[in-house]
Amino acid sequence: MKKRQKLAVCLWLFAVGANAQTDVWRSDSLQEVVVTGTGTQHLLKDAPVQTEVITSKMLRQYGGKSLEDILAGLTASFAFSQDDMGSQMQLNGLGNDYILVLIDGKRIHGDVGGQNDLSLIDPQNIEKIEIVKGASSALYGSDAIAGVVNIITKKHHESLLIENSTRVGSYGDIRQHNGLGLALGKVKSYTNFQLQHSDGWQNTSTEDPKQTEFLITDSRNMTVNRHTNWQMSERLTYEPTKNLEFYAEGSTYRKRIYRPSGKYAAVDVKTYDLQYRNQSLAAGGMWKLSKTDQLTLDVNWDRHAYYYYYTAITLTDGYDPYGNFTPYYPYFPDDEELQSDQRRIMAHLKGIFSLPAGNRLSAGLEWRYDYLEAPMRVQGGLARDNTEAVYMQDEFSHAFSPKVSMNITGGLRLNQNVQFGTNFSPKVSGMLSLGDNIRLRATWSQGFKTPTPKEMYYRYVKYMNATYLYLGNESLKPQSSNYYALSGEYNWKGLNITVTGYINNVEDMITLVTIPNTQAPAEYIVKYEPRKTRQYQNLETAETKGVDVSIRYRLNGEWMMGASYSYLDTEAKKYDSTHEKLVDVVIDGTARHKGSWFATWNHAFRSGYQLGAGVYGRMSSTRHYQIDGDGKGYQIWRFATNHELPLSKKLLLQAEAGIDNIFDYVDRTYHGLHLGTTTPGRTVYARLTIRFAQGKKLKFTNNKSNYKSSNNEED
């Protein structure tokens, strides 16, 4: 144990003492083009809104198996508590339903209640990730109070592209990716297939003694259940002229979560698995009016359906084949019961126009319709919602001298919701550049978010050692926020230091609150006899505030190192009508301290072979929850290698291998209580990728672990 501690200290000093960083803050990486902060293109160093980028090189070096793995390992601001219902993501103290996840600027299709399943995203098809923290409702509307994560996918231009990637790891982890790209004149096609599987694992077989009548040490409940999911997607593009492009795309997704059944009826007996089915369709186009001006139109249809898949005879409330509700209806093995079917239609028209005197105008119209069918979980079985919006944003840039310039961006969105009326969401941000070395940024923005159909109408029972009843609330009010941020950035010869302070005040924040059973509908209490009842309610006040610090350095052409730290403080109060006073409420999942660090080395040999290696670490202090205990703090280290070898001008071989959780940390907190992390301990992985491309000359970029078509931009 002492040897492990000494090694950890040495690696920590190596990573932090060298003022570490990765490729993202190299001087040439500051030329990266980003779009998420303002919806328009800017060089990273000139982006008016503070933007964090995870580049394609960082993705390859880290070798993450999933988007959750990537974000948790490479940024200090994110935390995850993945379970059967989704990814349970958190950014700077605010959870899933306050974080907008985009794929190429379009909303991910997933649970309207906020628990997005990030396994919908194929990590092998990600070019880079852009992260903007803070309220962005003026530009993106609802769900963007905590921030925006924009996944930029790879674009393929080869006349023929065939790629196969297989990743295997401990506990039966399999990640398969296949891609086929074709370009026939003005028509291009890319077909993508991904499969993910894990056998799951169990960190403890002991149930929480406080929630069971006697000590159970042989439970079959898993920390992470066995699961399999796959997705097939297709994108077609047609370019009749160099300034006009049309596209159509679609995908289908399936996921099955297998739940083992134990012998203790009140704790771990399972009679059904969980099954998800998603589909999406989209079409649109872009018309380039000039080098800077353009019009875009996107229309999307998405569906996310969730089922119980029965594995044993079960008597429960259900509907017979004729649609009649039947108490204690018998379900047999292989029967399915719909729990929720969520559908969304969106249309978005946007224009970007250059104006005189250094101004650039963005304007758009949006329409959104949400439909929720949940026969067993919503009164009446159906719930609907729709919103229209119009927004405008102006960017003003002015140079006072060759080295001193400023940018001021102001935006305003008008939302019209069918249930909650009209709302205005403004945003103002500014950046002052003092030469090539210093940039100062400031942001004030308001966020606005209406209650989701699930938060208002959903009700369900969760069996976790004890019965928990969860209730919607039709009296919920919309949430609003005021976000303030100040940041300073310093660049000098490969060194980058960024410090950002922020305050996010959320009014009428919606969260689950434990209420007395006497306040729940009597028929639910009689029927389910819950140990606890939780209901979505508005808090009186909620505030998150903190500081993010990043120190980055490129030591030379081969060594790159980095470290970042996030401090968070939260405060939330709820009015207690019983005692007629405000009481403190914990924002679930928050940790005061989080950090990440890494050091990477890359070398290109004369033979064309390139080798990369990296050491990564992340930590979190105690994560706090309202019920079921707090999650323990942890520290996890990772070692990753990547290898690239061109077999010919058309054929590339890539390999990755590594060890995650080097020091074998496992949180063995009793089942039923919160964990700091679900890692099973030390794991190993390896990935092999073969890529054949024809129609574009392939080459290595200068001294980088990067093999790509010559038409692509550098990292």
Side-chain angles (χ1 to χ4, degrees), residues 682-697:
R682 186 184 300 111
T683 58
V684 297
Y685 71 90
R687 188 199 308 270
L688 180 65
T689 300
I690 300 176
R691 187 174 188 267
F692 174 85
Q694 180 175 291
K696 293 290 183 180
K697 183 180 179 181

Side-chain angles (χ1 to χ4, degrees), residues 162-287:
I162 302 173
E163 51 188 2
N164 177 87
S165 178
T166 303
R167 185 188 196 275
V168 295
S170 305
Y171 298 96
D173 187 76
I174 299 173
R175 311 280 162 153
Q176 178 66 35
H177 161 85
N178 293 93
L180 173 63
L182 297 170
L184 303 173
K186 298 178 180 180
V187 178
K188 298 175 184 176
S189 165
Y190 184 71
T191 306
N192 184 79
F193 171 80
Q194 67 152 327
L195 180 142
Q196 302 176 8
H197 173 82
S198 172
D199 289 341
W201 58 84
Q202 185 185 57
N203 289 349
T204 180
S205 60
T206 302
E207 298 288 334
D208 176 21
K210 295 180 181 179
Q211 300 185 21
T212 55
E213 296 180 1
F214 53 92
L215 184 63
I216 294 176
T217 59
D218 57 347
S219 168
R220 292 199 65 197
N221 278 323
M222 305 285 283
T223 304
V224 172
N225 284 318
R226 178 182 173 221
H227 57 273
T228 302
N229 62 270
W230 61 267
Q231 182 183 56
M232 178 73 76
S233 62
E234 169 67 26
R235 178 180 174 90
L236 290 170
T237 60
Y238 172 59
E239 299 181 31
T241 70
K242 66 177 182 179
N243 294 323
L244 187 61
E245 178 184 279
F246 299 100
Y247 77 89
E249 61 186 18
S251 69
T252 184
Y253 170 88
R254 297 288 187 274
K255 184 173 184 176
R256 174 88 175 268
I257 298 176
Y258 302 86
R259 309 195 310 160
S261 186
K263 62 182 180 181
Y264 300 102
V267 176
D268 63 356
V269 170
K270 311 289 193 309
T271 62
Y272 55 86
D273 293 337
L274 307 180
Q275 192 153 279
Y276 298 85
R277 296 176 187 166
N278 288 31
Q279 292 87 34
S280 69
L281 294 171
M286 179 176 64
W287 180 19

